[in-house]
Amino acid sequence: MLRLTEFKLEFPEGIQVKPEMGSVFHGALMGKIAPEAAERFHEMNLRPYSQAVFWNREESTACWRIGTLDEYAYEQLIGPLEGCRELFLKQKGYAVQLQQGCLLRENSPEVLSQEMIQRTESPSGARWQCHSVMSFKQKGRYVILPDARLLYQNLLQRWNTFYPEIQLEADDLSEQLADHCRLNRYDLHSQVFSVEGSRIYGCMGTMEYQFFGFDMLKRIQGLLCSFAEFAGVGIKTAMGMGSVDIKLL
């Protein structure tokens, strides 16, 4: 089951909320869960969750979002936070107040796939809002702009890893998807994300893509965009990067 859970946060007076705080919250979260679960997650190449901290301008509040891709991740990560009203950030030396978690979205990969197939019309595009720094890595170097091929490669890898029974397979599928996706407009800026002593360059902001070509290609693009809200996009999504909201057009 795919779930997106959000906690409203209250920081001590004078503290400015920054997306890179996601890495600090990840450390605090690992300290809350069972040690064997933390070890299991640490050993995974792709983790079945994403999380990020950001400032919601519309609601004028700090938010902590955790996306879980299976039952195990939800039980191990969200369970220990139920009833938790304060999270101590050891790296910062202060505590943050948490409101009761709110389940923003929930769906199964099977239903999500079926809903996209059964849509009366295939989506014509998608509008993206990046809540935390998004970046990719190719040939050992960071790619700070949202290249469509890297974007789809990343999402396809996550989907096929966690849902092998609903594989999205075809020759050069990520190439086909990228070739039938056009960036129409964007409002992005470069941003640095500091994690574990490293500075990672990426981007934040909004962008809008247009889908074209075969009907099924557009439906797969819509499916992956819906999935991205739970999984995050790009590198280090478990550490606070790549959190997105996406509206299909």
Side-chain angles (χ1 to χ4, degrees):
M1 186 67 74
L2 295 152
R3 294 185 178 93
L4 189 63
T5 307
E6 182 174 276
F7 298 86
K8 296 294 192 299
L9 306 173
E10 184 178 340
F11 284 81
E13 187 176 353
I15 300 297
Q16 183 179 2
V17 180
K18 300 179 180 179
E20 62 187 39
M21 286 179 171
S23 63
V24 178
F25 273 74
H26 182 263
L29 179 59
M30 291 298 104
K32 293 283 292 184
I33 70 176
E36 58 270 20
E39 182 63 26
R40 179 174 172 179
F41 288 138
H42 180 71
E43 293 173 352
M44 293 178 177
N45 290 326
L46 285 177
R47 302 180 191 181
Y49 65 90
S50 65
Q51 61 86 31
V53 174
F54 62 94
W55 180 259
N56 187 321
R57 293 183 178 180
E58 292 182 359
E59 299 181 9
S60 297
T61 186
C63 298
W64 184 23
R65 284 190 184 178
I66 303 176
T68 51
L69 308 185
D70 57 28
E71 292 298 319
Y72 180 79
Y74 181 78
E75 292 171 0
Q76 297 300 320
L77 298 176
I78 304 302
L81 295 176
E82 293 180 353
C84 178
R85 294 293 175 266
E86 183 177 274
L87 188 69
F88 183 71
L89 305 179
K90 185 177 180 180
Q91 291 175 266
K92 296 293 185 179
Y94 58 74
V96 176
Q97 305 302 309
L98 275 68
Q99 292 186 14
Q100 179 67 36
C102 173
L103 186 62
L104 296 181
R105 282 181 278 286
E106 178 181 33
N107 213 334
S108 71
E110 294 83 5
V111 171
L112 195 65
S113 304
Q114 196 64 32
E115 287 177 346
M116 191 57 61
I117 292 173
Q118 294 177 345
R119 279 178 60 124
T120 304
E121 296 182 353
S122 57
S124 61
R127 188 172 296 123
W128 290 56
Q129 171 70 55
C130 302
H131 292 301
S132 63
V133 182
M134 181 169 62
S135 185
F136 301 86
K137 207 165 188 180
Q138 185 180 46
K139 298 180 180 179
R141 296 183 177 182
Y142 293 118
V143 179
I144 66 173
L145 290 176
D147 180 279
R149 284 171 175 77
L150 296 180
L151 186 153
Y152 284 122
Q153 285 174 5
N154 185 268
L155 290 172
L156 281 169
Q157 182 184 23
R158 293 173 192 273
W159 179 274
N160 290 333
T161 295
F162 295 112
Y163 313 119
E165 68 281 1
I166 320 174
Q167 287 277 316
L168 296 174
E169 292 183 319
D171 292 337
D172 300 321
L173 180 55
S174 61
E175 295 290 329
Q176 293 183 52
L177 294 172
D179 287 342
H180 293 84
C181 176
R182 180 184 296 115
L183 182 63
N184 276 352
R185 56 176 61 92
Y186 63 88
D187 183 8
L188 299 170
H189 63 273
S190 61
Q191 185 84 22
V192 175
F193 189 94
S194 298
V195 57
E196 298 175 341
S198 300
R199 290 165 59 85
I200 299 174
Y201 290 87
C203 66
M204 289 184 64
T206 61
M207 52 191 180
E208 184 175 304
Y209 286 99
Q210 177 187 353
F211 305 152
F212 58 94
F214 299 114
D215 180 80
M216 186 52 68
L217 279 179
K218 291 191 285 187
R219 293 180 189 273
I220 293 175
Q221 292 184 86
L223 173 61
L224 291 175
C225 285
S226 298
F227 174 60
E229 293 189 313
F230 301 95
V233 185
I235 61 174
K236 297 190 181 297
T237 53
M239 301 297 291
M241 297 183 67
S243 175
V244 297
D245 270 333
I246 301 177
K247 180 182 180 180
L248 295 180
L249 304 175

